Amino acid sequence: QVQLVESGGGLVQAGASLRLSCTASGRTFDSYSVGWFRQAPGKERDFVAAVSRSGGTTYATDSMKDRFIISRDNAKNTAYLQMNSLQPEDTAVYYCAARQGIPRSRSGGYDYWGQGTQVTVSS
């Protein structure tokens, strides 16, 4: 059992950077892989990036991997999504999720979800 809370979203101009945080409560945070997903109004929820339990393996959607970096600090019970060179098409609610075992790119199989944090990028 783990509870997740996202933070760090906001309104920024195109080209700006944001770092989202996903802070976990509950025991054994390092037993879970963490994924980041995003959903724009009227759109499906899309995979952004994921990180393994130890942080040793990371991957991201091809269209975002040059700008978005996922990481985690298990000592702080926190996972991060560093977002650089933000563009209006990045506007969405960003969610973190956790699952036991290896990370995956599909939302199915993630057992725990945060409430989401809004990221809005103006042109």
Side-chain angles (χ1 to χ4, degrees):
Q1 181 73 248
V2 63
Q3 299 174 22
L4 308 173
V5 178
E6 302 96 334
S7 62
L11 173 63
V12 299
Q13 293 179 286
S17 297
L18 282 173
R19 188 178 72 165
L20 306 184
S21 297
C22 174
T23 299
S25 61
R27 64 173 59 206
T28 323
F29 175 63
D30 60 3
S31 295
Y32 298 90
S33 296
V34 173
W36 285 95
F37 297 79
R38 70 184 187 183
Q39 187 167 23
K43 307 293 185 180
E44 65 183 22
R45 185 170 297 185
D46 291 328
F47 172 74
V48 175
V51 60
S52 63
R53 293 171 293 173
S54 67
T57 301
T58 63
Y59 62 97
T61 301
D62 286 343
S63 62
M64 295 179 244
K65 61 181 172 58
D66 293 335
R67 298 186 295 117
F68 291 7
I69 303 169
I70 190 170
S71 63
R72 68 190 296 164
D73 186 341
N74 288 340
K76 297 181 179 179
N77 273 16
T78 301
Y80 304 96
L81 183 68
Q82 177 68 44
M83 305 186 296
N84 299 318
S85 301
L86 285 163
Q87 301 299 312
E89 58 264 33
D90 297 317
T91 295
V93 177
Y94 285 72
Y95 300 89
C96 68
R99 68 182 303 272
Q100 294 181 319
I102 62 173
R104 61 184 297 172
S105 61
R106 304 184 74 85
S107 60
Y110 282 89
D111 298 312
Y112 307 102
W113 292 82
Q115 84 289 349
T117 185
Q118 177 71 48
V119 173
T120 303
V121 185
S122 62
S123 59

